[in-house]
Amino acid sequence: MDLHTKLKILGAAAKYDVSCSSSGSSRRNRSSGLGNASLPGICHSWSDDGRCISLLKILFTNHCAFNCLYCVNRATADVPRATFTPDEVAQLTINFYKRNYIEGLFLSSAVYKNPNYTMELLVTTVKKLRKEYQFNGYIHLKVIPGADPLLIAEAGKYADRISVNIELPSSQGLQLLAPQKSRDSIIRPMEFIHSKILQTREERKLYKNAPLFVPAGQTTQLIVGATPDNDLKILKLSESLYNHFSLKRVYYSAYVPVTQHPNLPSIASPPLMREHRLYQADWLVRVYGFKADELLDENQPLLDTEIDPKSAWALRNLHLFPVEVNRADYEMLIRVPGIGVRSAKRIIAARRYSTIDFDILKRFGVVLKRARHFITCNGKFYGERNINELTLYQMLKPTAKQQNSTKVAGEQLTFPSLYPQLFQPEDVHTVITGEM
């Protein structure tokens, strides 16, 4: 099989993997080396701070020994198969980089023969890129669950970021859809990577030239909607991963129905809005200091798809509002719908010199359309008065949904509708003139 065909097959096979981003690495070029992973230099996927980066995103192989029901590359799937060699991946990366097509590599793989054999091939590839081709660009490498820790430790020396896909939110889900994988085989590598990162940080405090280990940290990805697990369970899992393993990101991938099976949900399209709301809630947990239990509970385990999670939280806690922006602390300001982290910091900095009013808030980037219902400026309130929670809920919906919900159903006037006594059901008339 020629290289172009392999690239076509293995590039398409990698499109379901969403956990690729590049922020956090500052690997510099060395003398006679090629490329670098400096922050301004990368663009084609999306980093966690919104920058666009370009990566060569491929699988090493889509020959898989596992038969996960949700996966397009499962062992029993009837799809074209291909496998790169380490030299082919290295040469593709270097050639694309020199042509300015890419600024880094995202390399994942199906489980070829067994986890250790696959991991050895991946390590050989990134080692070849770093040692033989002197490539100092960004590399994101996937760890194969079940691989030996020594191989993971070796991979961490050459990759900027590595990730272990947690795949499904619960052990029951794994047992149902991916019985060849276990929760332990996924969590243990995460734990090992976290401990190695901490160990390396301590070593670099003592020895400036101590080798790096995964300088951009680790991430993971899980599928949403393939099992009955609710949003509360998913968010609590993400919160636990952030707290215990200091993950940079948890990526959510809406389940794409690629096959039919009794254990899989019967859906016509991926639950993209649910995925979107989970990303918003994850951002609140990771950046705004919310707890998963504050956003959802056992009585309401699913995120509202009509309004964003912060607005939904504010509606459930109306007794905390309105907030006076000239006195509220930072933690409370960022909980107001329409006020983000950057706006809250500007408010805190500016009010040391003057009193904040609504015009200043607008200049600070506060979305007053939403925030005005939850704040006062110098005691002045510009939200709607005497409205109940349900009315406010309707007002916080996106504009298009508000228009659809308030639109009165109408129909074109016709002669028969105006003069029903003159027309009989069997009468035939033209559409334009109404002539009978």
Side-chain angles (χ1 to χ4, degrees):
M1 184 180 291
D2 64 88
L3 190 59
H4 184 266
T5 306
K6 286 185 182 180
L7 185 59
K8 189 175 178 182
I9 293 172
L10 296 171
K15 68 182 179 183
Y16 297 100
D17 207 321
V18 298
S19 62
C20 56
S21 66
S22 74
S23 62
S25 177
S26 57
R27 184 186 295 272
R28 294 180 182 276
N29 194 4
R30 281 173 270 176
S31 176
S32 72
L34 180 67
N36 64 71
S38 62
L39 292 178
I42 302 180
C43 83
H44 203 177
S45 175
W46 295 99
S47 64
D48 61 357
D49 59 356
R51 286 178 300 108
C52 183
I53 57 176
S54 75
L55 302 174
L56 173 59
K57 182 179 176 183
I58 51 174
L59 295 189
F60 188 89
T61 178
N62 65 343
H63 284 282
C64 195
F66 288 4
N67 198 36
C68 307
L69 296 180
Y70 52 82
C71 183
V72 70
N73 298 313
R74 65 193 181 282
T76 56
D78 183 18
V79 294
R81 305 282 181 176
T83 302
F84 282 124
T85 65
D87 280 309
E88 286 174 337
V89 175
Q91 288 168 12
L92 273 175
T93 305
I94 295 300
N95 287 332
F96 279 15
Y97 188 89
K98 286 182 174 178
R99 287 171 172 77
N100 204 26
Y101 294 166
I102 59 161
E103 296 177 72
L105 171 67
F106 177 89
L107 183 60
S108 184
S109 180
V111 183
Y112 186 39
K113 295 185 180 179
N114 59 64
N116 282 338
Y117 185 78
T118 312
M119 200 66 217
E120 282 180 13
L121 289 171
L122 296 179
V123 171
T124 302
T125 304
V126 293
K127 190 173 181 179
K128 189 177 285 289
L129 270 167
R130 295 293 193 212
K131 295 286 188 183
E132 291 185 21
Y133 292 89
Q134 300 297 312
F135 180 67
N136 288 306
Y138 177 82
I139 296 178
H140 182 158
L141 189 68
K142 275 295 169 75
V143 168
I144 307 300
D148 192 284
L150 290 175
L151 289 169
I152 298 173
E154 189 71 3
K157 295 178 184 175
Y158 305 106
D160 292 281
R161 171 169 287 180
I162 55 181
S163 53
V164 189
N165 281 359
I166 202 162
E167 303 290 6
L168 296 167
S170 63
S171 300
Q172 294 83 356
L174 283 172
Q175 186 64 34
L176 186 69
L177 302 181
Q180 291 159 299
K181 295 179 180 175
S182 68
R183 190 174 178 81
D184 277 353
S185 69
I186 297 169
I187 295 297
R188 282 181 184 170
M190 285 185 178
E191 193 174 10
F192 174 75
I193 294 165
H194 178 58
S195 66
K196 285 289 290 181
I197 291 173
L198 294 179
Q199 179 187 336
T200 304
R201 284 180 188 164
E202 292 302 316
E203 289 173 354
R204 288 182 69 83
K205 288 178 184 175
L206 299 174
Y207 310 104
K208 186 179 177 182
N209 294 323
L212 292 168
F213 182 83
V214 197
Q218 62 169 327
T219 61
T220 190
Q221 169 186 341
L222 59 85
I223 300 169
V224 176
T227 57
D229 299 298
N230 58 40
D231 295 341
L232 174 61
K233 190 163 193 172
I234 292 172
L235 265 187
K236 294 191 82 161
L237 172 64
S238 301
E239 186 181 47
S240 172
L241 293 174
Y242 287 131
N243 291 338
H244 289 96
F245 303 136
S246 303
L247 260 64
K248 291 291 183 181
R249 288 288 298 272
V250 176
Y251 291 88
Y252 306 95
S253 176
Y255 165 64
V256 179
V258 294
T259 185
Q260 299 289 328
H261 191 276
N263 291 347
L264 289 169
S266 178
I267 58 175
S269 58
L272 295 177
M273 180 51 74
R274 186 181 174 194
E275 176 194 285
H276 176 60
R277 294 300 183 209
L278 276 168
Y279 271 116
Q280 290 180 318
D282 180 279
W283 188 261
L284 293 180
V285 171
R286 190 157 46 91
V287 179
Y288 284 69
F290 279 84
K291 304 291 183 191
D293 288 332
E294 292 181 276
L295 299 173
L296 295 169
D297 56 37
E298 293 298 337
N299 296 323
Q300 192 170 357
L302 294 174
L303 292 166
D304 194 323
T305 55
E306 297 290 326
I307 59 174
D308 64 276
K310 188 155 81 164
S311 295
W313 173 85
L315 281 176
R316 291 197 303 274
N317 294 276
L318 284 176
H319 61 282
L320 300 176
F321 299 100
V323 168
E324 172 55 51
V325 292
N326 287 290
R327 291 195 299 272
D329 58 23
Y330 171 79
E331 287 73 20
M332 192 61 211
L333 280 177
I334 59 174
R335 288 180 172 239
V336 175
I339 298 182
V341 170
R342 192 173 299 177
S343 303
K345 287 180 178 175
R346 286 173 177 165
I347 291 170
I348 296 290
R351 71 187 187 188
R352 286 182 291 181
Y353 305 102
S354 66
T355 303
I356 305 294
D357 59 24
F358 282 94
D359 289 333
I360 294 176
L361 289 180
K362 192 181 292 183
R363 292 204 297 273
F364 284 172
V366 172
V367 184
L368 287 176
K369 185 179 177 182
R370 282 187 288 160
R372 66 190 179 95
H373 302 292
F374 303 96
I375 59 172
T376 59
C377 282
N378 262 338
K380 295 179 182 176
F381 178 69
Y382 284 95
E384 305 292 335
R385 296 181 183 276
N386 301 320
I387 59 173
N388 57 30
E389 184 178 330
L390 182 59
T391 307
L392 188 53
Y393 177 84
Q394 295 295 335
M395 296 177 74
L396 290 172
K397 284 183 180 179
T399 306
K401 290 188 176 180
Q402 287 180 30
Q403 289 175 346
N404 290 337
S405 63
T406 57
K407 188 176 179 181
V408 178
E411 59 179 12
Q412 177 70 42
L413 289 176
T414 61
F415 282 111
S417 65
L418 287 172
Y419 306 104
Q421 69 278 12
L422 300 179
F423 293 84
Q424 301 299 320
E426 62 271 14
D427 291 337
V428 178
H429 56 88
T430 66
V431 173
I432 296 176
T433 64
E435 183 182 357
M436 295 176 66

